[in-house]
């Protein structure tokens, strides 16, 4: 016999429990009462269960706009003296580590003295919108709260897709942290006096995770506001009132196209459940495309990128800031695709998009010619990803395959 679930009652019960447990304000409770159905629309029972489990174990901190509290202080408050025997080595994560977030989902695997995972501690913080800013005042009027709802949805999205298979530790001392499509691997090495060093050794799928999470944010916020997706997107533009992120535009549009052209379900299963078979299925189909088979040949867009890169980094180039940026990120713009899977090529393309967005002000937009030059460079950056997605769409149509099954 089929059992019908009243999702609204389900949401309300979880919300009451969580608000009582953490002592949330009526304002946050009201916001969450609208965020939950907006994010969970269309979710399966299993996906909702993961969301509820996450919400019950993730305290949400709403930080006043003018507060000077640091992330380090927040972590000490929520984690205490966790893992005193673990020393983190410094890691350079490129352009991604150069921006200070207005909110974040933060977690830490708690390891015992024998390097066994004995638990996970986590929290989420969001900084309120400042009323000193005119654009923010318009956002507060729209949202009916100083809570930055779009950022709250974004960080809840990351937390949701971290709930299942969030951490694994193998016998070789490799700790794997999973957030949706992103996997970070750490090597844990014994030192002296019972101490260990934890060093990041790889980070994959980060840009895709941020892009897909931004798609989820926009979709959920549209439902929260009762607006169309297109009208909601306009609110993030310069003339709107919502703070846009670096992932919107170039990156989110590519991940949205990827989801649409591959029928979405495999991506969702990989992201929410950590289903590696879904990732294998995606890669298997995309590997059959001509674009992937000829990935090392180099298309006309690659040649455009190489020419622009050479011109802007040559000796005597006049734009010194642009030159430094391009040279600093050269390995991102010209990855070796020989041993890459299709989804790794998508990730590499998104990484280039991110680099461009972070360093956009290094480009010269003073004339129409300079603007066209920038646009040509952006097209050359986008090409690898979009051509692969387009070819995959054509392959699926011709072969009558459907990744949603």
């Amino acid at each position: 016999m089929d059992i019908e679930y009243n999702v609204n009652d389900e949401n309300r019960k979880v919300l009451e429990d969580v608000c009582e447990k953490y002592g949330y304000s009526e304002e946050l409770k009201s916001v969450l009462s609208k965020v939950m159905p907006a994010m969970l629309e269309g979710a399966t029972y299993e996906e909702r269960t993961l969301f509820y489990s996450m919400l019950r174990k993730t305290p949400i901190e709403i930080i006043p706009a003018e507060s000077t509290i640091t992330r380090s202080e927040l972590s000490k408050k929520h984690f205490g003296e966790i893992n005193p025997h673990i020393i983190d080595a410094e890691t350079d994560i490129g352009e991604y580590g150069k921006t200070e977030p207005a909110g974040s989902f933060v977690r830490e695997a708690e390891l015992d003295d024998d390097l066994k995972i004995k638990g996970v501690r986590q929290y989420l913080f969001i900084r309120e919108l400042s009323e000193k800013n005119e654009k923010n005042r318009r956002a507060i009027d729209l949202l009916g709260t100083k809570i930055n709802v779009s950022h709250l949805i974004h960080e809840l999205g990351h937390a949701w897709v971290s709930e299942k298979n969030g951490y694994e530790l193998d016998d070789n001392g490799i700790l794997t942290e999973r957030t949706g499509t992103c996997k970070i691997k750490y090597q844990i090495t014994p030192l002296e006096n019972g101490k260990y060093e934890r060093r990041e050794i790889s980070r994959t799928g980060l840009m895709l995770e941020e892009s897909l999470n931004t798609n989820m944010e926009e979709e959920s916020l549209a439902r929260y506001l009762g607006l169309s997706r297109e009208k909601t997107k306009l609110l993030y533009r310069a003339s709107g009132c919502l703070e846009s992120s670096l992932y919107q535009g170039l990156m989110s549009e590519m991940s949205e196209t990827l989801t649409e052209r591959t029928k979405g379900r495999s991506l969702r299963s990989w992201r929410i459940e950590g289903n590696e078979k879904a990732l294998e299925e995606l890669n298997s189909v995309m590997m059959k495309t001509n674009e992937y088979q000829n990935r090392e040949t180099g298309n006309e867009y690659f040649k455009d990128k190489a020419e622009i890169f050479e011109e802007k980094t040559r000796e005597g180039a006049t734009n010194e800031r642009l030159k430094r940026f391009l040279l600093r990120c050269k390995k991102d713009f010209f990855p070796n695709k020989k041993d890459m899977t299709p989804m790794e090529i998508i990730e590499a393309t998104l990484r280039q998009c991110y680099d461009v967005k972070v360093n956009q002000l290094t480009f010269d937009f003073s004339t129409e010619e300079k603007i066209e030059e920038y646009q040509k460079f952006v097209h050359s950056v986008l090409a690898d990803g979009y051509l692969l997605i387009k070819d995959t769409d054509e392959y699926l149509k011709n072969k009558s395959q459907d990744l949603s099954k």
Side-chain angles (χ1 to χ4, degrees):
M1 180 177 70
D2 291 337
I3 300 175
E4 290 188 10
Y5 289 92
N6 186 316
V7 178
N8 291 330
D9 287 346
E10 192 179 72
N11 285 347
R12 278 194 292 270
K13 176 65 169 66
V14 173
L15 182 60
E16 289 294 336
D17 292 346
V18 168
C19 289
E20 182 178 354
K21 179 178 181 179
Y22 294 116
Y24 290 156
S25 67
E26 286 299 317
E27 183 179 15
L28 178 55
K29 182 178 180 180
S30 176
V31 168
L32 286 172
S33 72
K34 293 186 286 185
V35 163
M36 289 173 67
M39 293 187 71
L40 293 172
E41 183 172 311
T44 66
Y45 173 75
E46 290 76 13
E47 290 170 349
R48 295 199 308 274
T49 299
L50 288 173
F51 186 92
Y52 300 147
S53 175
M54 171 276 296
L55 207 59
R56 287 188 170 105
K57 67 176 68 167
T58 312
I60 300 170
E61 286 263 7
I62 303 300
I63 309 300
E66 310 308 321
S67 171
T68 58
I69 192 168
T70 65
R71 174 167 163 167
S72 176
E73 290 168 336
L74 284 171
S75 292
K76 187 170 184 179
K77 171 184 174 181
H78 288 278
F79 298 162
E81 298 299 328
I82 191 173
N83 296 331
H85 54 306
I86 306 293
I87 300 170
D88 284 309
E90 288 189 15
T91 303
D92 180 8
I93 56 175
E95 305 304 285
Y96 185 77
K98 295 184 177 179
T99 55
E100 184 65 29
S104 186
F105 167 58
V106 186
R107 64 178 170 159
E108 179 81 20
E110 189 174 6
L111 307 177
D112 64 20
D113 291 339
D114 296 321
L115 292 188
K116 303 294 183 186
I117 298 175
K118 64 178 184 177
V120 177
R121 300 188 197 179
Q122 58 193 52
Y123 70 95
L124 186 159
F125 76 89
I126 301 294
R127 190 171 292 276
E128 284 185 335
L129 295 165
S130 171
E131 294 182 286
K132 294 180 179 180
N133 181 296
E134 170 60 30
K135 189 172 182 179
N136 283 353
R137 289 198 292 271
R138 296 200 304 272
I140 293 168
D141 288 341
L142 173 73
L143 299 168
T145 176
K146 290 190 291 184
I147 295 173
N148 194 328
V149 177
S150 59
H151 282 182
L152 176 60
I153 291 172
H154 190 91
E155 298 311 324
L156 283 171
H158 284 316
W160 183 10
V161 301
S162 302
E163 183 61 21
K164 189 171 183 179
N165 302 322
Y167 282 99
E168 293 178 358
L169 183 60
D170 67 20
D171 294 335
N172 296 315
I174 303 294
L175 177 68
T176 301
E177 177 184 0
R178 188 187 80 84
T179 301
T181 65
C182 176
K183 276 192 174 181
I184 305 175
K185 291 185 181 293
Y186 304 90
Q187 176 71 64
I188 301 181
T189 307
L191 301 173
E192 297 178 348
N193 304 319
K195 301 287 186 181
Y196 297 86
E197 180 189 68
R198 178 171 53 188
R199 180 181 297 276
E200 182 178 323
I201 56 175
S202 70
R203 183 180 291 238
T204 59
L206 173 63
M207 295 293 107
L208 181 60
E209 169 58 26
E210 291 291 6
S211 303
L212 291 171
N213 201 43
T214 298
N215 298 147
M216 178 186 284
E217 172 195 329
E218 293 174 350
E219 291 167 1
S220 300
L221 187 64
R223 297 185 196 112
Y224 182 96
L225 295 172
L227 298 175
S228 69
R229 180 82 180 276
E230 289 309 309
K231 285 185 178 179
T232 303
K233 283 184 177 182
L234 291 175
L235 296 172
Y236 289 98
R237 304 278 169 81
S239 58
C241 61
L242 298 180
E243 185 180 344
S244 63
S245 72
L246 293 166
Y247 318 119
Q248 284 165 313
L250 297 179
M251 296 174 66
S252 62
E253 287 170 10
M254 179 175 291
S255 59
E256 188 171 5
T257 302
L258 175 68
T259 302
E260 291 171 353
R261 300 295 176 88
T262 59
K263 310 297 187 280
R265 290 306 308 181
S266 289
L267 267 174
R268 187 176 177 92
S269 179
W270 170 32
R271 183 171 181 243
I272 294 182
E273 301 170 25
N275 185 350
E276 292 292 326
K277 288 185 178 179
L279 172 58
E280 291 171 10
E281 183 181 7
L282 277 167
N283 276 324
S284 177
V285 171
M286 298 175 86
M287 282 177 176
K288 295 180 174 67
T289 63
N290 290 328
E291 187 62 32
Y292 181 75
Q293 293 294 323
N294 298 316
R295 62 191 178 281
E296 294 182 81
T297 304
N299 51 49
E300 61 180 294
Y301 297 99
F302 176 87
K303 294 171 185 174
D304 285 343
K305 180 164 59 175
E307 288 175 2
I308 293 171
F309 197 94
E310 183 178 358
E311 178 189 347
K312 299 303 177 184
T313 60
R314 73 182 192 280
E315 187 176 349
T318 56
N319 189 335
E320 190 60 35
R321 288 180 63 208
L322 178 59
K323 179 180 179 178
R324 287 198 302 270
F325 151 54
L326 292 176
L327 289 175
R328 185 173 68 248
C329 298
K330 183 176 181 179
K331 61 179 175 54
D332 290 347
F333 288 111
F334 299 99
N336 182 353
K337 293 184 284 184
K338 179 181 178 181
D339 297 321
M340 282 185 173
T341 65
M343 292 307 298
E344 286 172 344
I345 291 174
I346 297 291
E347 174 72 11
T349 305
L350 291 169
R351 167 70 66 179
Q352 294 172 58
C353 293
Y354 185 84
D355 290 348
V356 170
K357 289 293 289 286
V358 171
N359 296 279
Q360 195 168 30
L361 295 180
T362 66
F363 290 88
D364 185 351
F365 297 99
S366 60
T367 66
E368 285 293 328
E369 183 180 4
K370 296 293 184 183
I371 293 172
E372 289 177 6
E373 193 175 73
Y374 168 77
Q375 291 172 337
K376 184 177 181 181
F377 183 69
V378 169
H379 289 157
S380 73
V381 164
L382 295 170
D384 283 346
Y386 272 111
L387 290 175
L388 182 53
I389 294 169
K390 179 177 179 292
D391 221 14
T392 301
D393 185 34
E394 291 299 318
Y395 177 84
L396 288 171
K397 287 176 180 176
N398 292 337
K399 298 295 182 182
S400 299
Q401 295 194 35
D402 187 345
L403 290 180
S404 66
K405 296 180 179 178

